[in-house]
Amino acid sequence: AKGEAGSMHLEPDVGFDPGEWDILETEDHYKSRWRSIRILYLTMFLSSVGFSIVIMSIWPYLQKIDQTADASFLGWVIASFSLGQMVASPVFGLWSNYRPRKEPLIISLSISVAANCLYAYVHVPASHNKYYMLVARGLVGFGAGNVAVIRSYIAGATSLQERTSSMANTSACQALGFILGPASTDEVQVLQGNIDQVAVVATNIVFFVILFIFALFETIVTPLTMDMYAWTREQAVLYDGIILAALGVEALIIFMGIKLLSKKIGERAILLGGFIVVWVGFFILLPWGNHFPKIQWEDLHNTSIPNTTFGEIIITLWKSPKEDHNEGPTGCPIGQAWCFYTPMIHLAQFLTSAVLIGIGYPSCNVMSYTLYSKILGPKPQGVYMGWLTASGSAARILGPVFISQVYTSWGPRWAFSLVCGIVMLTIILLGVVYRRLVAFSVRHGRIQE
């Protein structure tokens, strides 16, 4: 419908026609948009809380409902969530481009509710219970694919605010080249296409590496500290929990300060700097010196990484200290040959590395997402955000598998050296495409960078 100023107004929850792009935003529209954004933020927060609660119960629950389930199957159960999300994200993203966003959101949330109900009752069937759990977790992940819709809406809404502010600060809306009424043919063509696909692909790779790094770091923290410092399971859970909580507080501080910093030096510089900080963090984590970890000689069950399956490394995160009142032997297990010739990672090294990674990861995370949404510009972003979410899901699948295999077989020196190599290649990639990582409006000369 026509607005008070005679301009066409964009409905906030549907894909738009560039020829009907709104120039002016009413006060009611502004309030409605931010109300929707806050609701979506709350939705993502509650989804994350639910994930954290359920993930801690999967292993004991799986053992209880099906005695035939082993650690290898546990790996598939865990991976099924990310696989489901990876498949669903592009689907829901495409859906939101052509239909009101509330449709994929309602459907995805309904799938999540149904899947969690199935998860709660997987103990009821007389047999094949582990497969019901596998399906349930996969469906929960499929429902979680709505994060692509949420991200595209938030990106589009905040982009709308930036464009509205820019137009308000220039006469006749010349900053974006818009005039009252429908856009010209050239403007429609610019809005409908001409996205820098190289920048899009590069940003997806960068986002994959960011989540890959964090997934493997939080996976390896517990086994690493138990092997290096001979911590018991109870000590590892307590101390590592404190460390990760401190990193969470650190990330909140980074998130609050990064917006101001980005206005001074730009998103690209922060992204590149964040990767450099992460590289330094993993470089510090490399074993140095002549001190070696305590060897666990007893041929008893230990809670480091018993074998090379993905499921086994995850088990250590669910095992309760109360399951075994005698903690048993501690130290680096004799089954890991590298324990005899690889120097230990000193606690000061580990803590320094954790602090640096805690600085670099949130910086890279928020900047890559911000740049990605700006690169896409006013074009409906559902599908593109779906691919971004899918790349993150793939990273959360491959990260733990990679680090568990390499760490168990070759030790921390090889594991973290390879991580340093991956980060360095990403830094080189950023250097190559640095000039292409610019906002859509800047690339097409709509506003100055």
Side-chain angles (χ1 to χ4, degrees), residues 382-431:
V383 174
Y384 286 98
M385 286 298 175
W387 288 117
L388 188 72
T389 303
S391 67
S393 299
R396 291 196 298 271
I397 295 171
L398 298 176
V401 176
F402 166 83
I403 197 65
S404 63
Q405 298 288 333
V406 177
Y407 178 83
T408 303
S409 302
W410 299 330
R413 176 171 286 169
W414 269 101
F416 300 138
S417 294
L418 290 175
V419 173
C420 285
I422 293 172
V423 176
M424 181 56 66
L425 289 175
T426 308
I427 293 174
I428 295 173
L429 173 64
L430 282 174

Side-chain angles (χ1 to χ4, degrees), residues 273-286 352-353 356-357 420 423 427:
F275 269 105
I276 293 174
V277 171
V278 169
W279 183 88
V280 173
F282 277 103
F283 183 79
I284 292 175
L285 204 54
L286 293 174
T352 303
S353 173
L356 291 175
I357 294 172
C420 285
V423 176
I427 293 174

Side-chain angles (χ1 to χ4, degrees), residues 241-442:
I242 294 173
I243 292 171
L244 292 178
L247 293 183
V249 175
E250 182 185 20
L252 287 176
I253 297 173
I254 296 296
F255 285 139
M256 289 187 293
I258 205 169
K259 182 177 182 180
L260 297 175
L261 184 61
S262 66
K263 292 180 179 179
K264 295 182 179 180
I265 65 175
E267 291 94 348
R268 294 178 299 177
I270 294 178
L271 179 61
L272 183 59
F275 269 105
I276 293 174
V277 171
V278 169
W279 183 88
V280 173
F282 277 103
F283 183 79
I284 292 175
L285 204 54
L286 293 174
W288 304 98
N290 299 319
H291 297 282
F292 296 88
K294 173 187 173 183
I295 302 299
Q296 181 188 125
W297 292 101
E298 291 86 346
D299 187 19
L300 297 174
H301 175 73
N302 67 81
T303 56
S304 300
I305 302 182
N307 56 45
T308 59
T309 64
F310 173 47
E312 289 290 341
I313 190 173
I314 303 299
I315 292 176
T316 63
L317 304 179
W318 280 280
K319 291 275 191 178
S320 170
K322 297 180 180 178
E323 291 178 3
D324 186 2
H325 296 287
N326 298 319
E327 287 289 346
T330 58
C332 202
I334 192 173
Q336 297 176 165
W338 57 263
C339 294
F340 293 95
Y341 57 82
T342 302
M344 72 175 295
I345 299 171
H346 296 281
L347 185 59
Q349 278 182 264
F350 174 72
L351 294 178
T352 303
S353 173
V355 170
L356 291 175
I357 294 172
I359 294 173
Y361 167 72
S363 302
C364 294
N365 194 345
V366 68
M367 286 299 102
S368 62
Y369 170 64
T370 302
L371 275 173
Y372 191 68
S373 64
K374 289 186 175 182
I375 290 170
L376 298 179
K379 183 181 178 70
Q381 299 182 5
V383 174
Y384 286 98
M385 286 298 175
W387 288 117
L388 188 72
T389 303
S391 67
S393 299
R396 291 196 298 271
I397 295 171
L398 298 176
V401 176
F402 166 83
I403 197 65
S404 63
Q405 298 288 333
V406 177
Y407 178 83
T408 303
S409 302
W410 299 330
R413 176 171 286 169
W414 269 101
F416 300 138
S417 294
L418 290 175
V419 173
C420 285
I422 293 172
V423 176
M424 181 56 66
L425 289 175
T426 308
I427 293 174
I428 295 173
L429 173 64
L430 282 174
V432 172
V433 300
Y434 191 85
R435 294 184 177 275
R436 306 186 72 151
L437 300 179
V438 295
F440 183 93
S441 54
V442 174

